[in-house]
Amino acid sequence: MAERAHERDEDAVSRFVERFAGELADAGMQRMAARVFAALLASDSGTLTSAELAERLQISPAAVSGAIRYLSQVHMVGRERDPGSRRDRYRLHNELWYETFTRRDQLLSRWESTLRDGAASLGPGTPAGERVAETAAFFEFLQGEMLSMMDRWRAYQAARREALAATPATAAAPGLAASDTVAAEIAGSEVLASESGAGPHPRATAAREG
């Protein structure tokens, strides 16, 4: 699907792709995977072929393949066949950030269960047992907060889409929906760096209060 180039400043888009890719890489994502993901995010269709990605990012097909493999493994990108063609297209998953957070919740649930078993094995009265039990309690708390946050996001998303539908199309920047920008900033930092135990992204708080 062709991009609407006349509505876009391609240099500005390229700068965004590289800047956001750098932020994702700083948070722990593989650098080339971050660039491919950012390029898909910045495309109007949310889908590009390997050749299109290689051309936009000025990288080799092998580099695209490696990046797609990584993104597929972490469930951030899917593969589909071009109608009437043997070419594959790579697409961002619908509700990407919601699905990512849902999978992270499942991961936290497994961690919590394992940690509680470990705390019992270590003994509740031992320093190690208490440390592991508190870690399990942290993950239990985090799960509850994430589920509550996603419920609030759904309500905010519905209200925002309703408001955007009533405003002129020029209100949003072409080529990259504002909701994608906010979600990318929030989830890019929280999802990829969640193991650090960092607090809520400030844009998430601002979005709920705004």
Side-chain angles (χ1 to χ4, degrees), residues 28-72:
M29 184 183 284
Q30 292 181 4
R31 174 68 185 180
M32 197 59 67
R35 295 184 70 206
V36 167
F37 175 78
L40 285 167
L41 185 68
S43 67
D44 284 332
S45 62
T47 174
L48 295 167
T49 66
S50 177
E52 288 168 340
L53 285 164
E55 180 181 1
R56 290 179 185 220
L57 299 173
Q58 294 297 292
I59 58 178
S60 68
V64 173
S65 178
I68 290 295
R69 186 180 309 112
Y70 172 90
L71 293 170
S72 297

Side-chain angles (χ1 to χ4, degrees), residues 1-2 4 33-34 41 43 46 61 80 93 98 103 109 111 113 115 123 126-127 155 159 168 184 190 192 209:
M1 182 180 296
R4 295 170 295 179
L41 185 68
S43 67
E80 61 186 29
H93 289 302
Y98 186 88
R103 282 188 296 273
S109 180
W111 286 359
S113 176
L115 286 163
T126 65
E190 290 187 348
L192 298 175
E209 294 177 350

Side-chain angles (χ1 to χ4, degrees), residues 2-159:
E3 301 289 351
R4 295 170 295 179
H6 64 285
E7 295 183 5
R8 297 165 61 114
D9 179 340
E10 294 300 329
D11 288 339
V13 172
S14 294
R15 288 193 297 270
F16 160 76
V17 166
E18 296 303 328
R19 180 183 176 187
F20 188 54
E23 297 287 349
L24 292 173
D26 288 345
M29 184 183 284
Q30 292 181 4
R31 174 68 185 180
M32 197 59 67
R35 295 184 70 206
V36 167
F37 175 78
L40 285 167
L41 185 68
S43 67
D44 284 332
S45 62
T47 174
L48 295 167
T49 66
S50 177
E52 288 168 340
L53 285 164
E55 180 181 1
R56 290 179 185 220
L57 299 173
Q58 294 297 292
I59 58 178
S60 68
V64 173
S65 178
I68 290 295
R69 186 180 309 112
Y70 172 90
L71 293 170
S72 297
Q73 288 172 349
V74 295
H75 308 287
M76 297 181 76
V77 168
R79 185 194 307 261
E80 61 186 29
R81 184 59 57 88
D82 241 354
S85 170
R86 299 179 61 183
R87 294 187 308 173
D88 286 328
R89 300 190 72 87
Y90 304 106
R91 174 182 293 279
L92 296 178
H93 289 302
N94 291 331
E95 299 290 347
L96 167 67
W97 304 120
Y98 186 88
E99 293 175 12
T100 300
F101 269 88
T102 299
R103 282 188 296 273
R104 182 53 54 94
D105 176 64
Q106 295 167 353
L107 177 63
L108 291 177
S109 180
R110 293 198 301 270
W111 286 359
E112 180 197 345
S113 176
T114 300
L115 286 163
R116 292 201 183 282
D117 289 344
S121 298
L122 292 166
T126 65
E130 292 177 359
R131 185 186 311 116
V132 173
E134 186 168 280
T135 304
F138 169 75
F139 285 130
E140 180 182 23
F141 171 81
L142 194 59
Q143 278 182 277
E145 290 298 299
M146 286 177 63
L147 291 172
S148 175
M149 182 178 64
M150 294 314 296
D151 287 341
R152 294 195 301 271
W153 161 248
R154 284 297 199 191
Y156 173 82
Q157 180 189 48

